[in-house]
Amino acid sequence: MTLAVQPPLEIDTFHPPRRILLGPGPSDLHPQVKSALAQGVIGYLDPVFVSMMEELKTLMRYAFQTKNALTFPMSGPGSVGMEACFVNLVEPGDKVIVCRNGVFGGRMIENVERCGATAIVVEDEWGLAVDPQKLEDALRAHPDARLVAFVHAETSTGAQSDAQTLCDIARRHDCLTIVDAVTSLAGTPVLVDEWGADAVYSATQKCLSCTPGLSPVTFSDRAIEKVRARQTRVQSWFMDLKLVLDYWSASQRTYHHTAPGNSLYGLHEALRLLAAEGLEHAWARHRRHHEALKAGLDQLGLEFIVPEGARLPQMNAVRIPDGMDDKAIRRALLDEYAVEIGAGLGPLAGKIWRFGLMGYSAREENVLGALSAMEMVLAANGMKVDQGAAITAAQRVLATHHHVPASATSA
Ligand SMILES: *Cc1c(COP(=O)(O)O)cnc(C)c1O
């Protein structure tokens, strides 16, 4: 018998090239996370696996700074964490206030509408933090809203909003909060209990430096009460918290879906490394490398789009100088220097470059390597560059800023 489709024997084993990941995520994998991922598969109800899951929840509570019992990794990327928060907390006919200052606030609006609810949108310019006064005004104008959603760290622009203030305002108006902490977790302070945030989601491939595909989430008791009090069934079977919990709660452990075991080993190791480094040291490490990168980018004449004070150290967005070819330059960085940076999204496409310094990517060699590559590529594209000046400026910052413990940066 001749098979209609012949085996494509010309296809070889895939080996990804070496890259330095300085975009909006994924970030470089820590070598120990890589080793953790390559371990053997065991059953998801194996008692050893189950105790690893319990440790994972404990480690995750540390990362989120929460005592929330309901803290676990959803199977799926950050978008699954986002959708899980909305489908569980929003019912058809609800009114939800969504703050939008970039791409991800826009996705929150999509989620609200797909739940059959109405989104009241608080708009801020892309590149700025969410204006708390606008949220206050929207809540006064819509006293029947019971939920506020905002993005803590807008990866599309590099702006950080004041989560504490926004959560305080929401609570004063008797609203629960959904907070996107995808890019902030482990890069800048995410203090779930101190903020009084109710549903917070993140992802593993940004400042946790793990493979993409998991979404750490945490829910307050108030959020759980709201889910329990629903009049309608959660429209998603996969994301229905009541069902997922039968697997993730310590007491029950029944099959819901096959947990992505190896990814969970990786996350366990990434969170363990974070605990060993200490959150404050991780935040300081991101800050230090941001300051160095900023000194170099300033030297190159590249302007940040976010005003000082609202800049995320782990996501640096700068304006593309006039006459520079966005695509050609990013391509040259990748092909000639193995450096990946991010492009602009939506209205910022072609206007900005985004330099991520997330997790294990936030290291001296990457800052210096990226600046060196930028000097070479910009000069080759006709920009007047004082060769070496950006690197020197970054080195000065690195030499004067307090050094972080070796455990944070070494392999
Ligand atoms: C990356 C990102 C997401 C989506 O995460 P995925 O893992 O790509 O699904 C959501 N929100 C923000 C702020 C992000 O940066």
Side-chain angles (χ1 to χ4, degrees), residues 302-303 318-326 329 350-353:
L302 299 174
E303 291 165 27
V318 294
R319 244 174 270 289
I320 299 175
D322 289 341
M324 290 291 123
D325 182 337
D326 170 29
I329 287 171
K351 300 211 170 86
I352 61 166
W353 287 319

Side-chain angles (χ1 to χ4, degrees), residues 77-79 82 104 107 151 153 155 180 182-183 203 205-206:
S79 305
M82 177 189 276
F104 294 100
R107 289 197 182 174
V151 178
T155 322
D180 179 320
V182 172
T183 281
Q205 78 279 20
K206 311 233 175 172

